[in-house]
Short mmCIF file of all heavy atoms in Angstrom, two decimals:
data_model
loop_
_atom_site.label_atom_id
_atom_site.label_comp_id
_atom_site.label_asym_id
_atom_site.label_seq_id
_atom_site.Cartn_x
_atom_site.Cartn_y
_atom_site.Cartn_z
N ILE B 1 124.67 246.45 -33.50
CA ILE B 1 125.00 245.03 -33.45
C ILE B 1 123.71 244.26 -33.21
O ILE B 1 122.92 244.62 -32.36
CB ILE B 1 126.01 244.74 -32.32
CG1 ILE B 1 127.33 245.44 -32.58
CG2 ILE B 1 126.22 243.24 -32.17
CD1 ILE B 1 128.34 245.28 -31.46
N GLU B 2 123.53 243.20 -33.99
CA GLU B 2 122.39 242.29 -33.86
C GLU B 2 122.89 240.94 -33.38
O GLU B 2 123.87 240.43 -33.93
CB GLU B 2 121.79 242.09 -35.25
CG GLU B 2 120.38 242.50 -35.44
CD GLU B 2 119.94 242.10 -36.83
OE1 GLU B 2 120.60 242.49 -37.81
OE2 GLU B 2 118.93 241.40 -36.91
N VAL B 3 122.25 240.36 -32.39
CA VAL B 3 122.62 239.05 -31.88
C VAL B 3 121.35 238.20 -31.85
O VAL B 3 120.36 238.59 -31.24
CB VAL B 3 123.21 239.14 -30.45
CG1 VAL B 3 123.56 237.76 -29.93
CG2 VAL B 3 124.43 240.05 -30.42
N PHE B 4 121.38 237.04 -32.53
CA PHE B 4 120.18 236.19 -32.56
C PHE B 4 120.58 234.74 -32.75
O PHE B 4 121.65 234.47 -33.29
CB PHE B 4 119.23 236.67 -33.67
CG PHE B 4 119.86 236.64 -35.05
CD1 PHE B 4 119.72 235.52 -35.86
CD2 PHE B 4 120.59 237.71 -35.52
CE1 PHE B 4 120.30 235.49 -37.13
CE2 PHE B 4 121.16 237.69 -36.78
CZ PHE B 4 121.01 236.58 -37.57
N PRO B 5 119.76 233.78 -32.32
CA PRO B 5 118.63 233.98 -31.41
C PRO B 5 119.14 234.35 -30.03
O PRO B 5 120.23 233.96 -29.64
CB PRO B 5 117.92 232.64 -31.39
CG PRO B 5 118.99 231.64 -31.70
CD PRO B 5 119.97 232.35 -32.60
N ASN B 6 118.34 235.07 -29.32
CA ASN B 6 118.74 235.55 -28.00
C ASN B 6 117.51 235.62 -27.11
O ASN B 6 116.66 236.46 -27.37
CB ASN B 6 119.40 236.91 -28.13
CG ASN B 6 120.05 237.38 -26.85
OD1 ASN B 6 120.25 236.63 -25.93
ND2 ASN B 6 120.36 238.67 -26.81
N PRO B 7 117.38 234.75 -26.15
CA PRO B 7 118.36 233.82 -25.59
C PRO B 7 118.57 232.61 -26.49
O PRO B 7 117.80 232.35 -27.40
CB PRO B 7 117.75 233.41 -24.25
CG PRO B 7 116.29 233.61 -24.41
CD PRO B 7 116.12 234.74 -25.39
N SER B 8 119.65 231.87 -26.19
CA SER B 8 120.02 230.70 -26.98
C SER B 8 120.73 229.69 -26.10
O SER B 8 121.25 230.02 -25.05
CB SER B 8 120.93 231.11 -28.12
OG SER B 8 121.33 229.98 -28.88
N SER B 9 120.75 228.45 -26.59
CA SER B 9 121.53 227.42 -25.91
C SER B 9 122.47 226.72 -26.88
O SER B 9 123.14 225.77 -26.51
CB SER B 9 120.61 226.39 -25.24
OG SER B 9 119.80 225.77 -26.23
N GLY B 10 122.52 227.18 -28.14
CA GLY B 10 123.34 226.52 -29.15
C GLY B 10 124.29 227.47 -29.84
O GLY B 10 125.33 227.83 -29.33
N VAL B 11 123.92 227.90 -31.04
CA VAL B 11 124.75 228.77 -31.87
C VAL B 11 124.05 230.12 -32.01
O VAL B 11 122.85 230.19 -32.26
CB VAL B 11 124.98 228.15 -33.27
CG1 VAL B 11 125.75 229.09 -34.16
CG2 VAL B 11 125.69 226.82 -33.14
N VAL B 12 124.79 231.20 -31.83
CA VAL B 12 124.24 232.54 -32.05
C VAL B 12 124.96 233.17 -33.23
O VAL B 12 126.11 232.85 -33.53
CB VAL B 12 124.37 233.46 -30.81
CG1 VAL B 12 123.56 232.93 -29.66
CG2 VAL B 12 125.80 233.67 -30.42
N THR B 13 124.27 234.06 -33.91
CA THR B 13 124.84 234.80 -35.02
C THR B 13 124.90 236.27 -34.64
O THR B 13 123.97 236.81 -34.06
CB THR B 13 124.00 234.61 -36.30
OG1 THR B 13 123.98 233.22 -36.62
CG2 THR B 13 124.57 235.40 -37.47
N ILE B 14 126.02 236.90 -34.97
CA ILE B 14 126.22 238.32 -34.70
C ILE B 14 126.34 239.01 -36.05
O ILE B 14 127.11 238.58 -36.91
CB ILE B 14 127.49 238.54 -33.87
CG1 ILE B 14 127.38 237.77 -32.55
CG2 ILE B 14 127.73 240.02 -33.63
CD1 ILE B 14 128.67 237.68 -31.79
N ARG B 15 125.54 240.08 -36.25
CA ARG B 15 125.59 240.85 -37.49
C ARG B 15 125.64 242.33 -37.19
O ARG B 15 125.19 242.77 -36.14
CB ARG B 15 124.34 240.58 -38.34
CG ARG B 15 124.42 239.33 -39.14
CD ARG B 15 123.44 239.32 -40.25
NE ARG B 15 122.07 239.39 -39.77
CZ ARG B 15 121.02 239.02 -40.46
NH1 ARG B 15 121.16 238.55 -41.66
NH2 ARG B 15 119.81 239.13 -39.96
N SER B 16 126.15 243.08 -38.17
CA SER B 16 126.22 244.53 -38.05
C SER B 16 126.21 245.14 -39.44
O SER B 16 126.54 244.49 -40.42
CB SER B 16 127.49 244.93 -37.32
OG SER B 16 127.62 246.33 -37.30
N ASN B 17 125.84 246.42 -39.50
CA ASN B 17 125.86 247.14 -40.77
C ASN B 17 127.24 247.67 -41.12
O ASN B 17 127.46 248.19 -42.19
CB ASN B 17 124.87 248.32 -40.73
CG ASN B 17 123.45 247.83 -40.73
OD1 ASN B 17 123.14 246.76 -41.23
ND2 ASN B 17 122.57 248.62 -40.15
N GLY B 18 128.18 247.55 -40.20
CA GLY B 18 129.53 248.06 -40.45
C GLY B 18 130.58 247.08 -39.98
O GLY B 18 130.27 245.98 -39.53
N ASN B 19 131.82 247.47 -40.10
CA ASN B 19 132.93 246.64 -39.66
C ASN B 19 133.02 246.66 -38.13
O ASN B 19 132.82 247.70 -37.51
CB ASN B 19 134.25 247.13 -40.24
CG ASN B 19 134.27 247.02 -41.74
OD1 ASN B 19 133.58 246.20 -42.33
ND2 ASN B 19 135.06 247.86 -42.37
N ILE B 20 133.33 245.50 -37.55
CA ILE B 20 133.43 245.39 -36.10
C ILE B 20 134.66 244.58 -35.72
O ILE B 20 134.92 243.54 -36.30
CB ILE B 20 132.20 244.67 -35.51
CG1 ILE B 20 130.95 245.53 -35.64
CG2 ILE B 20 132.40 244.30 -34.07
CD1 ILE B 20 129.73 244.87 -35.06
N ASN B 21 135.39 245.07 -34.75
CA ASN B 21 136.37 244.28 -34.01
C ASN B 21 135.71 244.03 -32.67
O ASN B 21 135.64 244.92 -31.83
CB ASN B 21 137.69 245.03 -33.83
CG ASN B 21 138.45 245.13 -35.12
OD1 ASN B 21 138.53 244.17 -35.87
ND2 ASN B 21 139.01 246.29 -35.38
N GLY B 22 135.19 242.83 -32.51
CA GLY B 22 134.34 242.57 -31.36
C GLY B 22 134.91 241.59 -30.37
O GLY B 22 135.90 240.90 -30.64
N THR B 23 134.25 241.54 -29.23
CA THR B 23 134.60 240.61 -28.19
C THR B 23 133.32 240.13 -27.51
O THR B 23 132.34 240.87 -27.46
CB THR B 23 135.58 241.24 -27.18
OG1 THR B 23 136.00 240.26 -26.26
CG2 THR B 23 134.97 242.41 -26.43
N ILE B 24 133.36 238.91 -27.03
CA ILE B 24 132.27 238.37 -26.23
C ILE B 24 132.82 238.24 -24.81
O ILE B 24 133.87 237.63 -24.59
CB ILE B 24 131.79 237.03 -26.77
CG1 ILE B 24 131.25 237.24 -28.20
CG2 ILE B 24 130.71 236.42 -25.86
CD1 ILE B 24 130.93 235.97 -28.94
N LEU B 25 132.12 238.87 -23.87
CA LEU B 25 132.56 238.93 -22.49
C LEU B 25 131.60 238.16 -21.59
O LEU B 25 130.38 238.17 -21.85
CB LEU B 25 132.59 240.38 -22.01
CG LEU B 25 133.40 241.36 -22.86
CD1 LEU B 25 133.09 242.80 -22.46
CD2 LEU B 25 134.88 241.07 -22.73
N ASN B 26 132.11 237.56 -20.54
CA ASN B 26 131.22 236.95 -19.56
C ASN B 26 130.77 238.03 -18.58
O ASN B 26 131.14 239.20 -18.69
CB ASN B 26 131.89 235.76 -18.86
CG ASN B 26 133.10 236.13 -18.03
OD1 ASN B 26 133.32 237.29 -17.69
ND2 ASN B 26 133.91 235.13 -17.71
N ALA B 27 129.96 237.64 -17.59
CA ALA B 27 129.39 238.61 -16.65
C ALA B 27 130.46 239.29 -15.79
O ALA B 27 130.22 240.35 -15.23
CB ALA B 27 128.36 237.92 -15.77
N LEU B 28 131.65 238.69 -15.70
CA LEU B 28 132.74 239.28 -14.93
C LEU B 28 133.60 240.23 -15.78
O LEU B 28 134.57 240.80 -15.30
CB LEU B 28 133.64 238.19 -14.34
CG LEU B 28 132.96 237.23 -13.37
CD1 LEU B 28 133.91 236.11 -12.98
CD2 LEU B 28 132.45 237.98 -12.16
N GLY B 29 133.26 240.37 -17.07
CA GLY B 29 134.02 241.23 -17.97
C GLY B 29 135.22 240.56 -18.59
O GLY B 29 136.05 241.22 -19.21
N GLN B 30 135.34 239.23 -18.44
CA GLN B 30 136.46 238.49 -19.02
C GLN B 30 136.13 238.10 -20.46
O GLN B 30 135.01 237.66 -20.74
CB GLN B 30 136.73 237.23 -18.20
CG GLN B 30 137.09 237.53 -16.77
CD GLN B 30 137.00 236.30 -15.89
OE1 GLN B 30 136.14 235.45 -16.06
NE2 GLN B 30 137.91 236.22 -14.92
N GLU B 31 137.12 238.24 -21.34
CA GLU B 31 136.91 237.90 -22.75
C GLU B 31 136.78 236.39 -22.92
O GLU B 31 137.61 235.63 -22.46
CB GLU B 31 138.06 238.41 -23.60
CG GLU B 31 137.85 238.16 -25.07
CD GLU B 31 138.94 238.74 -25.92
OE1 GLU B 31 139.06 239.98 -25.98
OE2 GLU B 31 139.69 237.94 -26.51
N VAL B 32 135.72 235.99 -23.61
CA VAL B 32 135.46 234.58 -23.90
C VAL B 32 135.90 234.28 -25.34
O VAL B 32 136.43 233.21 -25.63
CB VAL B 32 133.96 234.26 -23.73
CG1 VAL B 32 133.64 232.85 -24.16
CG2 VAL B 32 133.54 234.49 -22.29
N GLN B 33 135.67 235.23 -26.23
CA GLN B 33 135.97 235.04 -27.66
C GLN B 33 136.12 236.41 -28.30
O GLN B 33 135.39 237.33 -27.95
CB GLN B 33 134.81 234.28 -28.32
CG GLN B 33 134.93 234.09 -29.81
CD GLN B 33 135.81 232.93 -30.17
OE1 GLN B 33 135.91 231.99 -29.41
NE2 GLN B 33 136.44 233.00 -31.30
N SER B 34 137.02 236.54 -29.24
CA SER B 34 137.10 237.76 -30.03
C SER B 34 136.75 237.41 -31.47
O SER B 34 136.87 236.26 -31.88
CB SER B 34 138.49 238.39 -29.94
OG SER B 34 139.45 237.52 -30.46
N PHE B 35 136.33 238.41 -32.21
CA PHE B 35 135.92 238.17 -33.59
C PHE B 35 136.04 239.46 -34.39
O PHE B 35 136.13 240.55 -33.83
CB PHE B 35 134.49 237.62 -33.67
CG PHE B 35 133.45 238.57 -33.13
CD1 PHE B 35 132.79 239.45 -33.98
CD2 PHE B 35 133.13 238.58 -31.79
CE1 PHE B 35 131.84 240.33 -33.49
CE2 PHE B 35 132.18 239.45 -31.29
CZ PHE B 35 131.54 240.32 -32.14
N ARG B 36 136.04 239.32 -35.70
CA ARG B 36 136.07 240.46 -36.61
C ARG B 36 134.97 240.25 -37.65
O ARG B 36 134.87 239.18 -38.25
CB ARG B 36 137.41 240.58 -37.30
CG ARG B 36 137.43 241.70 -38.33
CD ARG B 36 138.79 241.90 -38.87
NE ARG B 36 139.48 242.71 -37.84
CZ ARG B 36 140.75 243.02 -37.91
NH1 ARG B 36 141.48 242.61 -38.90
NH2 ARG B 36 141.29 243.77 -36.98
N LEU B 37 134.16 241.28 -37.84
CA LEU B 37 133.10 241.26 -38.85
C LEU B 37 133.37 242.32 -39.89
O LEU B 37 133.84 243.41 -39.55
CB LEU B 37 131.74 241.59 -38.23
CG LEU B 37 131.07 240.58 -37.33
CD1 LEU B 37 129.75 241.14 -36.83
CD2 LEU B 37 130.83 239.29 -38.05
N THR B 38 133.07 241.99 -41.12
CA THR B 38 133.06 243.01 -42.16
C THR B 38 131.61 243.33 -42.47
O THR B 38 130.71 242.59 -42.09
CB THR B 38 133.78 242.53 -43.44
OG1 THR B 38 133.17 241.34 -43.89
CG2 THR B 38 135.25 242.29 -43.16
N GLU B 39 131.39 244.45 -43.10
CA GLU B 39 130.03 244.92 -43.36
C GLU B 39 129.17 243.84 -44.00
O GLU B 39 129.57 243.19 -44.97
CB GLU B 39 130.10 246.15 -44.27
CG GLU B 39 128.78 246.86 -44.40
CD GLU B 39 128.94 248.17 -45.14
OE1 GLU B 39 130.07 248.66 -45.28
OE2 GLU B 39 127.91 248.70 -45.56
N ASN B 40 128.00 243.63 -43.42
CA ASN B 40 126.96 242.71 -43.89
C ASN B 40 127.35 241.23 -43.81
O ASN B 40 126.68 240.40 -44.40
CB ASN B 40 126.53 243.06 -45.32
CG ASN B 40 125.91 244.43 -45.40
OD1 ASN B 40 125.16 244.83 -44.52
ND2 ASN B 40 126.26 245.17 -46.43
N ASN B 41 128.42 240.89 -43.13
CA ASN B 41 128.76 239.48 -42.90
C ASN B 41 128.40 239.12 -41.48
O ASN B 41 128.51 239.93 -40.59
CB ASN B 41 130.25 239.22 -43.13
CG ASN B 41 130.63 239.28 -44.58
OD1 ASN B 41 129.81 239.03 -45.45
ND2 ASN B 41 131.87 239.64 -44.85
N GLY B 42 127.98 237.88 -41.27
CA GLY B 42 127.64 237.43 -39.93
C GLY B 42 128.74 236.57 -39.35
O GLY B 42 129.55 235.98 -40.06
N TYR B 43 128.78 236.50 -38.04
CA TYR B 43 129.72 235.66 -37.31
C TYR B 43 128.90 234.72 -36.46
O TYR B 43 128.05 235.15 -35.67
CB TYR B 43 130.63 236.53 -36.44
CG TYR B 43 131.52 235.73 -35.52
CD1 TYR B 43 132.65 235.09 -36.00
CD2 TYR B 43 131.23 235.62 -34.17
CE1 TYR B 43 133.47 234.35 -35.17
CE2 TYR B 43 132.05 234.89 -33.32
CZ TYR B 43 133.16 234.26 -33.83
OH TYR B 43 133.96 233.53 -32.99
N SER B 44 129.09 233.41 -36.63
CA SER B 44 128.39 232.42 -35.83
C SER B 44 129.30 231.95 -34.71
O SER B 44 130.47 231.67 -34.93
CB SER B 44 127.96 231.23 -36.69
OG SER B 44 126.98 231.64 -37.61
N PHE B 45 128.74 231.87 -33.52
CA PHE B 45 129.50 231.54 -32.32
C PHE B 45 128.76 230.45 -31.57
O PHE B 45 127.58 230.59 -31.24
CB PHE B 45 129.65 232.80 -31.47
CG PHE B 45 130.35 232.58 -30.16
CD1 PHE B 45 131.66 232.15 -30.13
CD2 PHE B 45 129.71 232.84 -28.97
CE1 PHE B 45 132.32 231.97 -28.92
CE2 PHE B 45 130.35 232.66 -27.76
CZ PHE B 45 131.67 232.22 -27.74
N ARG B 46 129.45 229.35 -31.30
CA ARG B 46 128.87 228.24 -30.54
C ARG B 46 128.97 228.54 -29.05
O ARG B 46 130.06 228.68 -28.52
CB ARG B 46 129.62 226.95 -30.85
CG ARG B 46 129.49 226.50 -32.28
CD ARG B 46 130.39 225.31 -32.55
NE ARG B 46 130.17 224.25 -31.59
CZ ARG B 46 129.60 223.08 -31.86
NH1 ARG B 46 129.22 222.82 -33.08
NH2 ARG B 46 129.42 222.18 -30.92
N ILE B 47 127.81 228.64 -28.42
CA ILE B 47 127.82 228.95 -26.98
C ILE B 47 127.43 227.74 -26.14
O ILE B 47 127.39 227.83 -24.92
CB ILE B 47 126.89 230.14 -26.65
CG1 ILE B 47 125.44 229.83 -26.99
CG2 ILE B 47 127.38 231.39 -27.34
CD1 ILE B 47 124.47 230.86 -26.46
N GLN B 48 127.16 226.62 -26.78
CA GLN B 48 126.68 225.46 -26.03
C GLN B 48 127.69 224.92 -25.03
O GLN B 48 127.32 224.25 -24.08
CB GLN B 48 126.20 224.36 -26.96
CG GLN B 48 127.27 223.88 -27.92
CD GLN B 48 126.68 223.47 -29.24
OE1 GLN B 48 125.76 224.09 -29.74
NE2 GLN B 48 127.21 222.41 -29.81
N ASP B 49 128.97 225.20 -25.20
CA ASP B 49 129.98 224.74 -24.25
C ASP B 49 130.20 225.72 -23.10
O ASP B 49 130.95 225.42 -22.18
CB ASP B 49 131.31 224.49 -24.97
CG ASP B 49 131.19 223.38 -26.00
OD1 ASP B 49 130.36 222.47 -25.81
OD2 ASP B 49 131.93 223.43 -27.00
N LEU B 50 129.57 226.89 -23.18
CA LEU B 50 129.71 227.88 -22.11
C LEU B 50 128.70 227.60 -21.00
O LEU B 50 127.62 227.08 -21.25
CB LEU B 50 129.44 229.28 -22.65
CG LEU B 50 130.40 229.81 -23.70
CD1 LEU B 50 129.93 231.17 -24.18
CD2 LEU B 50 131.81 229.90 -23.13
N PRO B 51 129.03 227.96 -19.78
CA PRO B 51 128.06 227.83 -18.69
C PRO B 51 126.86 228.74 -18.94
O PRO B 51 126.99 229.80 -19.57
CB PRO B 51 128.83 228.30 -17.46
CG PRO B 51 130.25 228.36 -17.83
CD PRO B 51 130.31 228.46 -19.32
N ALA B 52 125.70 228.34 -18.44
CA ALA B 52 124.51 229.18 -18.55
C ALA B 52 124.78 230.51 -17.86
O ALA B 52 125.51 230.57 -16.87
CB ALA B 52 123.32 228.48 -17.91
N GLY B 53 124.24 231.58 -18.41
CA GLY B 53 124.43 232.88 -17.77
C GLY B 53 124.33 234.02 -18.77
O GLY B 53 123.87 233.86 -19.89
N LEU B 54 124.80 235.15 -18.33
CA LEU B 54 124.73 236.38 -19.10
C LEU B 54 126.09 236.69 -19.73
O LEU B 54 127.11 236.62 -19.06
CB LEU B 54 124.32 237.52 -18.17
CG LEU B 54 124.04 238.88 -18.76
CD1 LEU B 54 122.90 238.81 -19.77
CD2 LEU B 54 123.68 239.85 -17.66
N TYR B 55 126.08 237.03 -21.01
CA TYR B 55 127.28 237.39 -21.75
C TYR B 55 127.01 238.70 -22.48
O TYR B 55 125.86 239.12 -22.63
CB TYR B 55 127.66 236.28 -22.75
CG TYR B 55 128.07 235.01 -22.04
CD1 TYR B 55 127.12 234.08 -21.65
CD2 TYR B 55 129.40 234.76 -21.73
CE1 TYR B 55 127.49 232.93 -20.97
CE2 TYR B 55 129.77 233.63 -21.04
CZ TYR B 55 128.82 232.71 -20.67
OH TYR B 55 129.18 231.58 -19.98
N PHE B 56 128.07 239.34 -22.95
CA PHE B 56 127.94 240.62 -23.63
C PHE B 56 128.75 240.60 -24.91
O PHE B 56 129.83 240.03 -24.96
CB PHE B 56 128.44 241.75 -22.73
CG PHE B 56 127.66 241.88 -21.45
CD1 PHE B 56 128.08 241.21 -20.32
CD2 PHE B 56 126.52 242.63 -21.41
CE1 PHE B 56 127.36 241.30 -19.14
CE2 PHE B 56 125.79 242.74 -20.23
CZ PHE B 56 126.21 242.06 -19.10
N VAL B 57 128.21 241.25 -25.94
CA VAL B 57 128.90 241.39 -27.22
C VAL B 57 129.22 242.87 -27.38
O VAL B 57 128.33 243.72 -27.27
CB VAL B 57 128.00 240.90 -28.38
CG1 VAL B 57 128.71 241.09 -29.72
CG2 VAL B 57 127.61 239.45 -28.16
N LYS B 58 130.49 243.18 -27.61
CA LYS B 58 130.92 244.57 -27.67
C LYS B 58 131.87 244.81 -28.83
O LYS B 58 132.72 243.99 -29.12
CB LYS B 58 131.63 244.93 -26.37
CG LYS B 58 132.21 246.33 -26.36
CD LYS B 58 132.08 246.98 -25.03
CE LYS B 58 132.65 248.38 -25.00
NZ LYS B 58 131.99 249.32 -25.83
N ASP B 59 131.69 245.96 -29.50
CA ASP B 59 132.65 246.43 -30.50
C ASP B 59 133.73 247.18 -29.73
O ASP B 59 133.45 248.21 -29.11
CB ASP B 59 131.95 247.34 -31.50
CG ASP B 59 132.86 247.82 -32.61
OD1 ASP B 59 134.10 247.67 -32.49
OD2 ASP B 59 132.35 248.34 -33.62
N ILE B 60 134.95 246.67 -29.75
CA ILE B 60 136.01 247.25 -28.93
C ILE B 60 136.49 248.60 -29.46
O ILE B 60 137.19 249.32 -28.74
CB ILE B 60 137.20 246.28 -28.76
CG1 ILE B 60 137.82 245.93 -30.09
CG2 ILE B 60 136.78 245.05 -28.00
CD1 ILE B 60 139.08 245.08 -29.99
N ASN B 61 136.11 248.97 -30.68
CA ASN B 61 136.54 250.25 -31.24
C ASN B 61 135.54 251.37 -31.02
O ASN B 61 135.79 252.51 -31.42
CB ASN B 61 136.80 250.10 -32.74
CG ASN B 61 138.00 249.21 -33.02
OD1 ASN B 61 138.93 249.16 -32.22
ND2 ASN B 61 137.96 248.50 -34.12
N LYS B 62 134.40 251.07 -30.40
CA LYS B 62 133.38 252.10 -30.20
C LYS B 62 133.03 252.19 -28.73
O LYS B 62 133.04 251.20 -28.00
CB LYS B 62 132.12 251.77 -31.01
CG LYS B 62 132.36 251.84 -32.49
CD LYS B 62 131.09 251.65 -33.25
CE LYS B 62 131.37 251.74 -34.74
NZ LYS B 62 130.20 251.44 -35.53
N ASP B 63 132.70 253.38 -28.32
CA ASP B 63 132.31 253.60 -26.94
C ASP B 63 130.78 253.52 -26.83
O ASP B 63 130.11 254.50 -26.54
CB ASP B 63 132.82 254.96 -26.46
CG ASP B 63 132.66 255.14 -24.97
OD1 ASP B 63 132.65 254.11 -24.26
OD2 ASP B 63 132.54 256.29 -24.53
N GLU B 64 130.26 252.34 -27.12
CA GLU B 64 128.82 252.09 -27.05
C GLU B 64 128.57 250.98 -26.05
O GLU B 64 129.43 250.13 -25.82
CB GLU B 64 128.28 251.66 -28.42
CG GLU B 64 128.42 252.72 -29.48
CD GLU B 64 127.94 252.24 -30.85
OE1 GLU B 64 127.57 251.06 -30.99
OE2 GLU B 64 127.96 253.06 -31.77
N PRO B 65 127.39 250.96 -25.45
CA PRO B 65 127.11 249.87 -24.51
C PRO B 65 127.08 248.52 -25.23
O PRO B 65 126.68 248.44 -26.39
CB PRO B 65 125.73 250.22 -23.94
CG PRO B 65 125.21 251.34 -24.74
CD PRO B 65 126.31 251.89 -25.58
N PRO B 66 127.49 247.47 -24.55
CA PRO B 66 127.47 246.14 -25.17
C PRO B 66 126.04 245.61 -25.30
O PRO B 66 125.12 246.08 -24.63
CB PRO B 66 128.28 245.28 -24.19
CG PRO B 66 128.21 246.00 -22.90
CD PRO B 66 128.05 247.45 -23.21
N VAL B 67 125.87 244.62 -26.18
CA VAL B 67 124.58 243.95 -26.37
C VAL B 67 124.57 242.73 -25.46
O VAL B 67 125.53 241.97 -25.43
CB VAL B 67 124.42 243.52 -27.85
CG1 VAL B 67 123.13 242.73 -28.04
CG2 VAL B 67 124.45 244.74 -28.76
N ARG B 68 123.48 242.55 -24.72
CA ARG B 68 123.37 241.39 -23.84
C ARG B 68 123.06 240.13 -24.63
O ARG B 68 122.33 240.16 -25.60
CB ARG B 68 122.24 241.59 -22.83
CG ARG B 68 122.64 242.44 -21.69
CD ARG B 68 121.65 242.38 -20.58
NE ARG B 68 120.27 242.46 -21.07
CZ ARG B 68 119.23 242.62 -20.31
NH1 ARG B 68 119.36 242.71 -19.03
NH2 ARG B 68 118.03 242.68 -20.82
N LEU B 69 123.65 239.03 -24.19
CA LEU B 69 123.40 237.71 -24.77
C LEU B 69 123.13 236.77 -23.61
O LEU B 69 123.94 236.70 -22.68
CB LEU B 69 124.62 237.24 -25.56
CG LEU B 69 124.65 235.79 -25.98
CD1 LEU B 69 123.49 235.45 -26.91
CD2 LEU B 69 125.97 235.46 -26.66
N ILE B 70 122.02 236.07 -23.65
CA ILE B 70 121.65 235.16 -22.58
C ILE B 70 121.85 233.74 -23.02
O ILE B 70 121.31 233.31 -24.04
CB ILE B 70 120.21 235.39 -22.12
CG1 ILE B 70 120.05 236.83 -21.63
CG2 ILE B 70 119.81 234.39 -21.04
CD1 ILE B 70 118.63 237.23 -21.36
N ARG B 71 122.67 233.01 -22.28
CA ARG B 71 122.93 231.59 -22.55
C ARG B 71 122.04 230.77 -21.63
O ARG B 71 122.13 230.88 -20.42
CB ARG B 71 124.40 231.26 -22.30
CG ARG B 71 124.76 229.80 -22.05
CD ARG B 71 124.54 228.92 -23.27
NE ARG B 71 125.14 227.63 -23.05
CZ ARG B 71 124.45 226.52 -22.82
NH1 ARG B 71 123.14 226.53 -22.77
NH2 ARG B 71 125.08 225.38 -22.67
N LEU B 72 121.14 229.99 -22.21
CA LEU B 72 120.23 229.15 -21.42
C LEU B 72 120.89 227.87 -21.01
O LEU B 72 121.71 227.34 -21.67
CB LEU B 72 118.97 228.84 -22.21
CG LEU B 72 118.12 230.03 -22.60
CD1 LEU B 72 116.94 229.58 -23.44
CD2 LEU B 72 117.65 230.78 -21.38
#
């Protein structure tokens, strides 16, 4: 999973080489947004309305560590 720009204060894009059923979690592990990606498509997510802090992007179908996302 690729997340950019990171850190960000506006819109972030999430990309992957494969299909993803993903979720964006706050630092407490609560779901903020869910999304679905197909191979080579990006998902843009507006984070400017979220409080500053640390968030995580995770593929819910894989047992891999989440990618950190920093909201400025």
Side-chain angles (χ1 to χ4, degrees):
I1 297 176
E2 240 185 306
V3 179
F4 59 92
N6 189 14
S8 178
S9 60
V11 176
V12 296
T13 299
I14 302 168
R15 278 199 299 201
S16 175
N17 290 333
N19 297 334
I20 291 181
N21 287 318
T23 186
I24 299 171
L25 306 167
N26 64 17
L28 299 174
Q30 299 165 324
E31 184 177 293
V32 174
Q33 176 82 29
S34 62
F35 63 93
R36 176 173 280 175
L37 288 179
T38 57
E39 190 171 344
N40 298 320
N41 288 333
Y43 173 76
S44 293
F45 177 62
R46 296 173 52 110
I47 63 170
Q48 58 213 38
D49 297 331
L50 297 176
L54 186 60
Y55 294 86
F56 299 92
V57 179
K58 175 143 181 64
D59 183 346
I60 60 175
N61 293 329
K62 294 186 180 175
D63 190 27
E64 296 177 356
V67 176
R68 280 192 316 190
L69 167 62
I70 300 171
R71 159 67 168 107
L72 297 177

